[in-house]
Coordinates of all heavy atoms in Angstrom, one line a residue:
M7 N 158.3 123.1 146.3 CA 157.3 122.3 145.3 C 156.7 121.2 146.2 O 157.3 120.5 146.9 CB 158.3 121.7 144.2 CG 157.5 121.2 143.1 SD 156.6 122.3 142.1 CE 157.8 122.8 140.8
A8 N 155.4 121.0 145.9 CA 154.7 119.9 146.6 C 154.6 118.7 145.6 O 154.8 118.9 144.4 CB 153.3 120.4 147.0
R9 N 154.3 117.6 146.1 CA 154.2 116.3 145.4 C 152.9 115.7 145.6 O 152.4 115.4 146.7 CB 155.4 115.4 145.6 CG 156.7 115.9 145.3 CD 157.7 114.9 145.7 NE 157.9 113.9 144.7 CZ 158.1 112.6 145.0 NH1 158.4 112.1 146.1 NH2 158.3 111.8 144.0
V10 N 152.2 115.2 144.5 CA 151.0 114.5 144.7 C 151.1 113.1 144.0 O 151.6 113.0 142.8 CB 149.8 115.2 144.0 CG1 148.5 114.5 144.2 CG2 149.7 116.7 144.5
Y11 N 150.8 112.1 144.8 CA 150.9 110.7 144.2 C 149.4 110.4 143.8 O 148.5 110.4 144.6 CB 151.4 109.7 145.3 CG 151.3 108.2 144.8 CD1 152.3 107.7 143.9 CD2 150.3 107.4 145.2 CE1 152.2 106.4 143.5 CE2 150.2 106.1 144.8 CZ 151.2 105.7 143.9 OH 151.1 104.3 143.5
V12 N 149.3 110.0 142.5 CA 148.0 109.6 142.0 C 148.1 108.1 141.8 O 148.7 107.6 141.0 CB 147.8 110.3 140.6 CG1 146.4 109.9 140.1 CG2 147.9 111.8 140.7
K13 N 147.3 107.5 142.7 CA 147.3 106.0 142.8 C 146.8 105.4 141.5 O 147.4 104.4 141.1 CB 146.5 105.5 144.0 CG 146.6 104.0 144.3 CD 145.9 103.6 145.5 CE 146.1 102.1 145.7 NZ 145.3 101.6 146.7
N14 N 145.8 105.9 140.9 CA 145.3 105.4 139.7 C 146.3 105.2 138.7 O 146.3 104.2 137.9 CB 144.3 106.4 139.0 CG 143.2 106.9 139.9 OD1 143.6 107.3 141.0 ND2 141.9 106.6 139.6
D15 N 147.2 106.1 138.6 CA 148.3 106.0 137.5 C 149.7 105.6 138.0 O 150.6 105.5 137.3 CB 148.5 107.5 136.9 CG 147.2 108.0 136.4 OD1 146.4 107.3 135.9 OD2 147.0 109.3 136.5
D16 N 149.7 105.3 139.4 CA 151.0 104.9 140.0 C 152.1 105.9 139.6 O 153.1 105.6 139.2 CB 151.3 103.5 139.6 CG 152.6 103.1 140.5 OD1 152.8 103.7 141.6 OD2 153.3 102.1 140.0
K17 N 151.7 107.2 139.7 CA 152.8 108.3 139.4 C 152.6 109.5 140.5 O 151.6 109.7 141.0 CB 152.7 108.7 138.0 CG 151.5 109.7 137.7 CD 151.4 109.9 136.3 CE 152.0 111.1 135.8 NZ 151.5 111.5 134.4
W18 N 153.9 110.1 140.6 CA 154.0 111.4 141.4 C 154.0 112.5 140.4 O 154.5 112.5 139.3 CB 155.3 111.4 142.0 CG 155.4 110.5 143.2 CD1 155.8 109.2 143.2 CD2 154.9 110.7 144.6 NE1 155.7 108.7 144.5 CE2 155.1 109.6 145.2 CE3 154.3 111.8 145.2 CZ2 154.9 109.5 146.7 CZ3 154.1 111.7 146.6 CH2 154.4 110.6 147.3
V19 N 153.2 113.6 140.8 CA 153.2 114.8 140.0 C 153.5 116.0 140.9 O 153.1 116.0 141.9 CB 151.7 115.2 139.4 CG1 151.7 116.3 138.6 CG2 151.2 113.9 138.6
D20 N 154.5 116.8 140.4 CA 155.0 117.9 141.1 C 154.0 119.1 140.8 O 153.6 119.4 139.7 CB 156.4 118.4 140.7 CG 157.4 117.4 141.2 OD1 157.2 116.6 142.1 OD2 158.5 117.4 140.6
V21 N 153.7 119.8 141.9 CA 152.8 121.0 141.8 C 153.3 122.1 142.7 O 153.9 121.7 143.7 CB 151.3 120.8 142.1 CG1 150.7 119.7 141.1 CG2 151.1 120.4 143.5
P22 N 153.2 123.4 142.4 CA 153.7 124.4 143.2 C 153.1 124.3 144.6 O 151.8 124.2 144.7 CB 153.4 125.7 142.5 CG 153.2 125.3 141.0 CD 152.6 123.9 141.1
D23 N 153.8 124.7 145.7 CA 153.3 125.0 146.9 C 152.1 126.0 146.9 O 152.3 127.0 146.2 CB 154.3 125.5 147.9 CG 155.3 124.5 148.3 OD1 155.1 123.2 148.0 OD2 156.4 124.8 148.9
G24 N 151.0 125.8 147.5 CA 149.8 126.7 147.6 C 149.0 126.7 146.4 O 148.1 127.6 146.2
S25 N 149.2 125.7 145.4 CA 148.4 125.7 144.2 C 147.1 124.8 144.5 O 147.1 124.0 145.3 CB 149.2 125.2 143.0 OG 149.6 123.8 143.3
K26 N 146.1 125.0 143.6 CA 145.0 124.1 143.7 C 145.4 122.8 142.9 O 146.1 122.9 142.0 CB 143.8 124.8 143.0 CG 143.1 125.9 143.7 CD 141.8 126.3 143.1 CE 141.0 127.3 144.0 NZ 139.9 127.9 143.4
L27 N 144.7 121.8 143.3 CA 145.1 120.5 142.6 C 144.5 120.4 141.3 O 144.8 119.4 140.6 CB 144.7 119.3 143.6 CG 145.6 119.3 144.8 CD1 145.2 118.1 145.7 CD2 147.0 119.4 144.6
S28 N 143.8 121.4 140.7 CA 143.5 121.4 139.3 C 144.8 121.4 138.5 O 144.7 121.2 137.3 CB 142.5 122.6 139.0 OG 143.1 123.7 139.5
A29 N 145.9 121.8 139.2 CA 147.2 121.7 138.6 C 147.6 120.3 138.0 O 148.4 120.1 137.2 CB 148.3 122.1 139.5
L30 N 146.8 119.3 138.5 CA 146.9 118.0 138.0 C 146.3 117.7 136.7 O 146.7 116.7 136.0 CB 146.4 117.0 139.0 CG 146.9 116.9 140.4 CD1 146.1 116.0 141.3 CD2 148.4 116.3 140.3
N31 N 145.4 118.6 136.3 CA 144.6 118.4 135.0 C 145.7 118.2 133.8 O 146.5 119.1 133.6 CB 143.7 119.6 134.8 CG 142.7 119.3 133.7 OD1 142.7 118.3 133.1 ND2 141.9 120.3 133.5
G32 N 145.4 117.1 133.1 CA 146.3 116.8 131.9 C 147.6 116.2 132.3 O 148.4 115.7 131.4
K33 N 147.9 116.0 133.6 CA 149.1 115.3 134.0 C 148.9 114.0 134.6 O 149.8 113.3 135.0 CB 149.8 116.2 135.0 CG 150.3 117.5 134.3 CD 151.0 118.3 135.4 CE 151.5 119.7 134.7 NZ 152.0 120.7 135.8
C34 N 147.6 113.6 134.7 CA 147.2 112.2 135.3 C 145.8 112.0 134.7 O 145.3 112.8 133.9 CB 147.2 112.3 136.7 SG 145.9 113.4 137.4
S35 N 145.3 110.8 135.1 CA 144.0 110.3 134.4 C 142.7 110.9 135.2 O 141.7 110.6 134.7 CB 144.0 108.8 134.5 OG 144.0 108.3 135.8
I36 N 143.0 111.7 136.3 CA 141.9 112.1 137.0 C 141.1 113.2 136.0 O 141.8 114.0 135.4 CB 142.2 112.9 138.3 CG1 142.8 111.8 139.3 CG2 141.1 113.6 138.9 CD1 143.3 112.2 140.6
L37 N 139.8 113.1 136.1 CA 139.0 113.9 135.2 C 138.7 115.2 135.8 O 138.1 115.3 136.9 CB 137.7 113.1 134.8 CG 137.9 111.9 134.0 CD1 136.6 111.2 133.8 CD2 138.5 112.2 132.6
F38 N 138.9 116.3 135.1 CA 138.5 117.6 135.5 C 137.5 118.1 134.5 O 137.9 118.0 133.3 CB 139.7 118.6 135.7 CG 140.6 118.2 136.8 CD1 141.6 117.2 136.7 CD2 140.4 118.8 138.1 CE1 142.4 117.0 137.7 CE2 141.2 118.5 139.2 CZ 142.2 117.6 139.0
A39 N 136.4 118.7 134.9 CA 135.5 119.2 133.8 C 135.3 120.8 134.1 O 135.9 121.6 133.5 CB 134.2 118.5 133.9
C40 N 134.5 121.1 135.2 CA 134.1 122.4 135.4 C 135.3 123.3 136.0 O 135.4 124.4 135.7 CB 132.8 122.7 136.3 SG 133.2 122.2 138.0
E41 N 136.1 122.6 136.8 CA 137.2 123.3 137.6 C 136.6 124.4 138.5 O 137.4 125.3 138.9 CB 138.3 123.7 136.8 CG 139.1 122.6 136.1 CD 140.5 123.0 135.6 OE1 141.0 124.0 136.1 OE2 141.0 122.3 134.7
E42 N 135.3 124.3 138.8 CA 134.8 125.4 139.6 C 134.0 124.8 140.8 O 133.3 125.5 141.5 CB 133.8 126.2 138.8 CG 134.5 127.1 137.8 CD 133.6 128.0 136.9 OE1 132.4 128.1 137.3 OE2 134.0 128.6 136.0
G43 N 134.3 123.6 141.1 CA 133.7 123.0 142.3 C 132.2 122.7 142.2 O 131.5 122.6 143.3
V44 N 131.7 122.5 141.0 CA 130.3 122.3 140.8 C 130.0 120.9 140.3 O 129.0 120.2 140.8 CB 129.8 123.3 139.8 CG1 128.3 123.1 139.5 CG2 130.0 124.7 140.3
C45 N 130.7 120.3 139.3 CA 130.3 119.1 138.6 C 130.6 117.8 139.4 O 130.0 116.8 139.1 CB 130.9 119.1 137.3 SG 132.6 118.7 137.2
G46 N 131.6 117.9 140.2 CA 131.9 116.6 141.0 C 132.8 115.7 140.2 O 133.2 114.6 140.8
S47 N 133.2 115.9 139.0 CA 134.1 115.0 138.2 C 135.5 114.7 138.9 O 136.0 113.7 138.7 CB 134.2 115.5 136.8 OG 135.2 116.5 136.7
C48 N 135.9 115.7 139.6 CA 137.3 115.5 140.1 C 137.3 115.0 141.6 O 138.2 115.0 142.3 CB 138.0 116.8 140.1 SG 137.3 118.1 141.3
L49 N 136.1 114.5 142.1 CA 135.9 114.0 143.4 C 136.9 112.9 143.6 O 136.9 111.9 142.9 CB 134.4 113.6 143.6 CG 134.2 113.1 145.1 CD1 134.3 114.2 146.1 CD2 132.7 112.5 145.1
S50 N 137.7 112.9 144.6 CA 138.7 111.9 144.8 C 138.9 111.7 146.4 O 138.6 112.5 147.2 CB 140.1 112.4 144.2 OG 139.9 112.6 142.8
T51 N 139.5 110.5 146.6 CA 139.9 110.2 148.0 C 141.3 110.6 148.4 O 142.2 110.3 147.6 CB 139.7 108.6 148.2 OG1 138.4 108.3 147.9 CG2 140.0 108.2 149.6
I52 N 141.4 111.3 149.6 CA 142.7 111.5 150.0 C 143.2 110.4 150.8 O 142.7 110.1 151.9 CB 142.8 112.8 151.0 CG1 142.0 114.0 150.2 CG2 144.1 113.2 151.3 CD1 142.5 114.4 148.8
I53 N 144.2 109.7 150.4 CA 144.7 108.5 150.9 C 145.7 108.8 152.1 O 145.6 108.2 153.2 CB 145.5 107.6 150.0 CG1 144.6 107.2 148.8 CG2 146.0 106.2 150.7 CD1 145.4 106.6 147.6
E54 N 146.6 109.7 151.9 CA 147.5 110.2 152.9 C 147.9 111.7 152.7 O 147.7 112.2 151.5 CB 148.8 109.4 152.7 CG 148.9 108.2 153.3 CD 150.3 107.5 153.2 OE1 151.4 108.2 153.3 OE2 150.3 106.3 152.8
G55 N 148.2 112.4 153.8 CA 148.7 113.7 153.6 C 147.6 114.8 153.7 O 147.8 115.9 153.3
A56 N 146.4 114.4 154.3 CA 145.4 115.4 154.3 C 145.7 116.6 155.2 O 145.2 117.8 154.9 CB 144.1 114.8 155.0
E57 N 146.7 116.4 156.1 CA 147.2 117.6 156.9 C 147.9 118.6 156.0 O 148.1 119.7 156.4 CB 148.0 117.0 158.0 CG 149.4 116.5 157.7 CD 149.3 115.0 157.2 OE1 148.3 114.5 157.1 OE2 150.4 114.4 157.0
N58 N 148.4 118.2 154.8 CA 149.0 119.1 154.0 C 148.1 120.0 153.0 O 148.5 120.7 152.2 CB 150.1 118.4 153.1 CG 151.2 117.8 154.0 OD1 151.5 118.4 155.0 ND2 151.8 116.7 153.5
L59 N 146.8 119.8 153.3 CA 145.7 120.5 152.5 C 145.1 121.6 153.3 O 144.8 121.3 154.5 CB 144.7 119.5 151.9 CG 145.2 118.3 151.2 CD1 144.1 117.3 150.8 CD2 146.0 118.8 149.9
E60 N 144.7 122.7 152.6 CA 144.0 123.6 153.2 C 142.5 123.0 153.4 O 142.0 122.2 152.6 CB 143.8 124.9 152.3 CG 145.1 125.7 152.1 CD 145.6 126.4 153.3 OE1 144.9 126.5 154.4 OE2 146.7 127.0 153.3
P61 N 141.8 123.4 154.5 CA 140.4 122.9 154.6 C 139.5 123.3 153.5 O 139.8 124.3 152.9 CB 139.9 123.4 156.0 CG 141.0 124.5 156.4 CD 142.1 124.4 155.6
P62 N 138.4 122.5 153.3 CA 137.6 123.0 152.2 C 136.8 124.3 152.4 O 136.5 124.7 153.5 CB 136.5 121.8 152.1 CG 136.7 121.1 153.4 CD 138.1 121.4 153.9
S63 N 136.6 125.0 151.3 CA 135.8 126.2 151.4 C 134.4 126.0 151.6 O 134.0 124.8 151.4 CB 136.0 127.1 150.0 OG 135.4 126.3 149.1
E64 N 133.6 127.0 151.9 CA 132.1 126.7 152.0 C 131.5 126.2 150.7 O 130.7 125.2 150.7 CB 131.4 128.0 152.4 CG 131.6 128.4 153.8 CD 131.3 127.3 154.8 OE1 130.2 126.7 154.7 OE2 132.1 127.1 155.7
K65 N 132.0 126.7 149.7 CA 131.5 126.3 148.3 C 131.8 124.7 148.1 O 131.0 123.9 147.6 CB 132.2 127.2 147.3 CG 131.8 126.8 145.8 CD 132.5 127.6 144.8 CE 132.3 127.2 143.5 NZ 133.2 128.1 142.5
E66 N 133.1 124.4 148.4 CA 133.4 123.0 148.2 C 132.7 122.1 149.1 O 132.2 121.0 148.7 CB 135.0 122.8 148.5 CG 135.4 121.4 148.3 CD 136.8 121.0 148.6 OE1 137.6 121.9 148.8 OE2 137.1 119.8 148.6
K67 N 132.4 122.6 150.5 CA 131.7 121.8 151.4 C 130.3 121.5 150.8 O 129.8 120.4 151.0 CB 131.6 122.5 152.7 CG 132.8 122.5 153.6 CD 132.5 123.0 155.0 CE 133.7 123.4 155.8 NZ 133.5 124.2 156.9
Q68 N 129.6 122.5 150.3 CA 128.3 122.4 149.7 C 128.3 121.4 148.6 O 127.3 120.4 148.6 CB 127.8 123.7 149.1 CG 127.3 124.8 150.3 CD 127.0 126.0 149.6 OE1 126.8 126.2 148.5 NE2 126.8 127.0 150.6
T69 N 129.2 121.3 147.8 CA 129.2 120.4 146.7 C 129.5 119.1 147.2 O 128.9 118.1 146.8 CB 130.2 120.8 145.6 OG1 129.9 122.1 145.2 CG2 130.2 119.9 144.3
L70 N 130.5 118.8 148.1 CA 130.8 117.6 148.7 C 129.5 117.0 149.3 O 129.2 115.8 149.2 CB 131.9 117.7 149.8 CG 133.3 118.0 149.2 CD1 134.3 118.3 150.3 CD2 133.8 116.8 148.5
E71 N 128.8 117.8 150.1 CA 127.6 117.3 150.7 C 126.6 116.9 149.6 O 126.0 115.8 149.8 CB 127.0 118.5 151.5 CG 126.0 118.0 152.6 CD 125.5 119.2 153.5 OE1 126.3 119.9 154.0 OE2 124.3 119.4 153.6
M72 N 126.4 117.6 148.5 CA 125.5 117.4 147.5 C 125.8 116.0 146.9 O 124.9 115.1 146.6 CB 125.6 118.4 146.3 CG 124.5 118.5 145.5 SD 124.6 119.9 144.4 CE 125.9 119.6 143.4
F73 N 127.0 115.6 146.9 CA 127.4 114.4 146.2 C 127.6 113.3 147.2 O 128.0 112.1 146.8 CB 128.8 114.5 145.4 CG 128.6 115.1 144.1 CD1 128.8 116.4 143.9 CD2 128.1 114.4 143.0 CE1 128.6 117.2 142.7 CE2 128.0 115.1 141.7 CZ 128.2 116.4 141.5
G74 N 127.3 113.5 148.5 CA 127.4 112.6 149.5 C 128.8 112.0 149.7 O 129.0 110.8 150.0
A75 N 129.7 112.9 149.6 CA 131.1 112.5 149.7 C 131.5 112.1 151.1 O 130.8 112.5 152.1 CB 132.0 113.8 149.4
K76 N 132.4 111.2 151.2 CA 132.9 110.7 152.5 C 133.9 111.8 153.1 O 134.4 112.6 152.4 CB 133.7 109.5 152.3 CG 132.8 108.3 151.8 CD 133.6 107.0 151.7 CE 132.8 106.0 151.0 NZ 133.5 105.2 150.0
P77 N 134.2 111.7 154.4 CA 135.0 112.7 155.1 C 136.4 112.9 154.4 O 137.0 113.9 154.4 CB 135.1 112.3 156.5 CG 133.9 111.4 156.8 CD 133.6 110.8 155.4
N78 N 136.8 111.8 153.9 CA 138.2 111.8 153.3 C 138.2 112.0 151.8 O 139.2 111.8 151.2 CB 138.9 110.5 153.6 CG 138.2 109.2 152.9 OD1 137.2 109.3 152.5 ND2 139.0 108.1 152.8
Q79 N 137.1 112.6 151.3 CA 137.0 112.9 149.9 C 137.0 114.4 149.6 O 136.5 115.2 150.5 CB 135.8 112.3 149.3 CG 135.9 110.8 149.1 CD 134.8 110.2 148.4 OE1 133.6 110.4 148.6 NE2 135.1 109.3 147.3
R80 N 137.7 114.8 148.6 CA 137.7 116.3 148.2 C 137.5 116.5 146.8 O 137.7 115.5 146.0 CB 139.1 116.8 148.6 CG 139.5 116.8 150.0 CD 138.8 117.8 150.9 NE 138.9 119.1 150.5 CZ 139.9 119.9 151.0 NH1 140.8 119.5 151.9 NH2 140.0 121.2 150.6
L81 N 137.2 117.7 146.4 CA 137.1 118.1 145.0 C 138.5 118.7 144.7 O 138.9 119.7 145.3 CB 136.0 119.2 144.8 CG 134.6 118.8 145.1 CD1 133.7 119.9 145.1 CD2 134.1 117.7 144.1
L82 N 139.3 118.0 143.9 CA 140.6 118.3 143.7 C 140.8 119.8 143.1 O 141.8 120.4 143.3 CB 141.4 117.4 142.9 CG 141.6 115.9 143.6 CD1 142.4 115.0 142.7 CD2 142.0 116.0 145.1
C83 N 139.8 120.1 142.3 CA 139.9 121.4 141.6 C 139.7 122.5 142.6 O 140.1 123.7 142.2 CB 138.9 121.6 140.5 SG 137.2 121.8 141.1
Q84 N 139.3 122.3 143.8 CA 139.1 123.3 144.8 C 140.0 123.2 145.9 O 140.1 123.9 146.9 CB 137.7 123.2 145.3 CG 136.6 123.5 144.3 CD 136.7 124.8 143.7 OE1 136.7 125.8 144.4 NE2 136.9 124.9 142.4
T85 N 140.8 122.1 145.9 CA 141.7 121.7 147.0 C 143.1 122.4 146.9 O 143.8 122.3 145.9 CB 141.8 120.1 147.2 OG1 140.6 119.6 147.4 CG2 142.8 119.8 148.3
V86 N 143.5 123.1 147.9 CA 144.8 123.8 147.9 C 145.7 123.0 148.7 O 145.5 122.6 149.9 CB 144.6 125.3 148.4 CG1 146.0 125.9 148.5 CG2 143.7 126.1 147.6
I87 N 146.9 122.6 148.1 CA 148.0 121.9 148.8 C 149.0 123.0 149.4 O 149.4 123.9 148.7 CB 148.6 121.0 147.9 CG1 149.7 120.1 148.7 CG2 149.3 121.6 146.6 CD1 150.1 118.8 147.9
K88 N 149.2 122.9 150.7 CA 150.2 123.9 151.4 C 151.5 123.5 150.9 O 152.4 124.5 150.8 CB 150.0 123.8 152.9 CG 148.6 124.3 153.3 CD 148.5 124.2 154.8 CE 147.9 122.9 155.3 NZ 147.6 123.0 156.8
G89 N 151.9 122.3 150.8 CA 153.2 121.8 150.5 C 153.3 120.3 150.9 O 152.4 119.8 151.3
G90 N 154.5 119.8 150.8 CA 154.7 118.5 151.1 C 154.1 117.4 150.3 O 154.0 117.7 149.1
E91 N 153.8 116.4 150.7 CA 153.1 115.2 149.9 C 151.7 114.8 150.2 O 151.4 114.8 151.4 CB 154.1 113.9 150.0 CG 155.5 114.3 149.5 CD 156.4 113.0 149.6 OE1 155.9 111.9 150.1 OE2 157.4 113.0 149.1
V92 N 151.0 114.5 149.2 CA 149.7 114.0 149.4 C 149.4 112.8 148.4 O 150.0 112.8 147.4 CB 148.6 115.1 149.1 CG1 147.1 114.6 149.1 CG2 148.8 116.2 150.1
K93 N 148.7 111.8 149.0 CA 148.3 110.8 148.0 C 146.9 110.7 147.8 O 146.1 110.8 148.8 CB 148.8 109.4 148.7 CG 150.4 109.3 148.8 CD 150.7 107.9 149.3 CE 152.3 107.7 149.2 NZ 152.7 106.4 149.7
V94 N 146.5 110.6 146.5 CA 145.1 110.7 146.2 C 144.7 109.5 145.2 O 145.6 108.9 144.6 CB 144.7 111.9 145.4 CG1 145.1 113.2 146.3 CG2 145.3 112.0 144.1
E95 N 143.4 109.1 145.2 CA 142.9 108.2 144.3 C 141.5 108.5 143.9 O 140.7 109.0 144.7 CB 142.8 106.8 145.0 CG 142.2 105.7 144.2 CD 142.2 104.3 145.0 OE1 142.3 104.4 146.3 OE2 142.3 103.4 144.4
Q96 N 141.2 108.3 142.6 CA 139.9 108.6 142.2 C 139.0 107.4 142.1 O 139.5 106.3 141.6 CB 139.9 109.3 140.9 CG 138.4 109.9 140.5 CD 138.4 110.9 139.4 OE1 139.1 110.6 138.3 NE2 137.8 112.0 139.6
Ligands
LIG118 S1 136.1 119.7 138.1 FE1 134.1 120.1 138.4 S2 134.1 119.9 140.6 FE2 136.1 119.7 140.2

């Protein structure tokens, strides 16, 4: 089981290893809309633990570029956590 700290809510959420972080939907205040890497509503900053995430897919990279995202920002609905701990903030 992996753990995600959501700074906005000051809480930890457990998610299965290898899952997309859309698993946070409904368990924290981060907004998810399309869950397909298109709308940008889940764009968040990775505060710590980026090494525990799979790199972005081409599709995610395109959307990140479209929204002018910083290098430490990801679309959580497209981000896969390998395991361990990650800290995020929206
Ligand atoms: S929910 Fe739309 S891009 Fe993640």
